[in-house]
Amino acid sequence: MTAYKKINVKGLNIFYREAGDISKPTMLLLHGFPTASHMFRHLMPLLSHKFHLIAPDFPGFGQSSSPDHTRFEYTFDHLAEVTTAFVEELNLDKFYMYVFDYGAPIGFRIALHHPDWISGIVSQNGNVYQEGLGKKWAERQDFWNRPTEAKRNSYRNAFAPATIKDQYTFGTQPGTVSPDGYTLDIAYTRTAGYADRQLDLIYDYQNNIKMYPEFQAYLRQYQPKLLAVWGKNDPSFIYPGAEAFQKDDAHAKVAFVDSGHFALETHATEIAQMMIEYFSDAK
């Protein structure tokens, strides 16, 4: 059974899902954009007999506090700081980590500062390599290099219902993606201040790319057990980003599923089985 909870962290109400036996190894599940912890709704029941599962909503996402962007700094450094404080509030000092999309730069920041916390990593379309950046990122580089209000506003189309639905369905077989996930994500875009806080994060994403060498250095130094499982048809984070992990981490295993960005929507069962087999040392 999954429980739905909130905890106060740095003056913010952080919503999270919890499942599994607390005596089992913990796995921290970090979501991406434009979603929240509900992206793990299919995966958590499949893993709850093997892991104690914790899936928070980042500030500004889902059911967590979403302060106005003029009063809260929406940067990946800050989200990682809050997520670190969340982990400390729950007294988690050793865990596996599942990172997806935005969850990757947040999770790898945590790993950089607390390598002793990390038992292993699942990166599902969670990119930390230049090789994994699809074509759209060249356009964003122009925005980062020469930012204007007009360019910033052009990214409001990232929150359009058709864009969000396409993120879920592109690269998948017809009729395989339930509307539940993207319908809820679209509903969240209607909340007060959503566009401004997300536009701040789109602008700040450049700092994640600048940190890629640090994330890669972490992998080379600590060699964590890492499963890079990718929806191979993802146009945002393309599949060479999964293969690149093997350059730096001798323990990296790469696997592909015939899906797009939101691979859990179509392949949760297969991904769960890969995780159970790969982390068979988790007792």
Side-chain angles (χ1 to χ4, degrees):
M1 178 182 292
T2 300
Y4 308 95
K5 302 180 178 182
K6 282 193 174 181
I7 188 172
N8 187 277
V9 179
K10 291 181 170 289
L12 302 166
N13 283 321
I14 299 299
F15 172 88
Y16 66 102
R17 297 162 193 258
E18 183 172 16
D21 186 339
I22 61 172
S23 69
K24 299 290 186 181
T26 295
M27 180 167 288
L28 180 68
L29 305 162
L30 300 180
H31 69 81
F33 167 83
T35 189
S37 61
H38 63 273
M39 69 164 282
F40 299 113
R41 68 197 182 281
H42 300 312
L43 183 69
M44 292 177 76
L46 299 170
L47 295 175
S48 60
H49 65 298
K50 289 287 187 181
F51 296 96
H52 169 227
L53 302 150
I54 299 286
D57 290 355
F58 301 133
F61 292 80
Q63 295 293 316
S64 287
S65 293
S66 299
D68 187 86
H69 81 128
T70 61
R71 297 185 292 106
F72 182 90
E73 187 179 28
Y74 285 97
T75 65
F76 286 88
D77 278 347
H78 199 189
L79 294 188
E81 178 186 325
V82 173
T83 306
T84 298
F86 167 80
V87 167
E88 292 172 332
E89 285 287 339
L90 293 184
N91 297 311
L92 305 179
D93 57 10
K94 197 73 176 176
F95 50 84
Y96 294 87
M97 186 168 66
Y98 187 116
V99 298
F100 164 76
D101 189 78
Y102 278 14
I106 292 170
F108 274 93
R109 278 173 169 82
I110 293 172
L112 273 176
H113 292 105
H114 300 281
D116 54 308
W117 289 359
I118 308 302
S119 299
I121 300 171
V122 181
S123 180
Q124 185 253 298
N125 298 72
N127 190 59
V128 295
Y129 287 91
Q130 287 283 345
E131 294 94 319
L133 297 175
K135 293 180 180 178
K136 77 174 187 181
W137 296 97
E139 179 184 325
R140 292 199 176 183
Q141 188 66 56
D142 174 69
F143 169 47
W144 299 332
N145 291 343
R146 291 173 290 275
T148 66
E149 193 64 23
K151 289 177 183 177
R152 175 183 167 93
N153 285 329
S154 73
Y155 285 100
R156 291 177 183 271
N157 64 9
F159 323 131
T163 304
I164 292 175
K165 182 178 179 181
D166 188 62
Q167 280 188 280
Y168 273 78
T169 58
F170 185 92
T172 65
Q173 296 300 314
T176 59
V177 176
S178 165
D180 301 346
Y182 61 75
T183 299
L184 182 53
D185 286 344
I186 290 166
Y188 282 137
T189 68
R190 312 293 167 81
T191 58
Y194 180 91
D196 281 321
R197 59 183 181 262
Q198 297 300 337
L199 290 169
D200 285 355
L201 286 169
I202 287 173
Y203 182 70
D204 187 63
Y205 200 91
Q206 62 185 297
N207 292 311
N208 297 332
I209 296 173
K210 291 173 184 175
M211 288 189 71
Y212 281 0
E214 294 179 62
F215 300 154
Q216 295 156 19
Y218 158 79
L219 293 168
R220 286 193 299 274
Q221 179 176 353
Y222 292 99
Q223 297 287 297
K225 198 165 186 182
L226 187 146
L227 174 64
V229 57
W230 231 252
K232 67 179 181 181
N233 307 318
D234 183 356
S236 294
F237 296 124
I238 56 179
Y239 73 87
E243 296 170 330
F245 281 105
Q246 293 181 317
K247 297 189 304 180
D248 295 311
D249 190 343
H251 297 129
K253 178 180 178 180
V254 176
F256 298 111
V257 294
D258 186 16
S259 189
H261 190 58
F262 283 94
L264 286 179
E265 294 295 311
T266 55
H267 288 74
T269 300
E270 293 88 338
I271 292 172
Q273 190 58 41
M274 289 180 200
M275 293 168 64
I276 290 168
E277 291 174 1
Y278 189 62
F279 297 119
S280 59
D281 56 329
K283 303 298 184 185

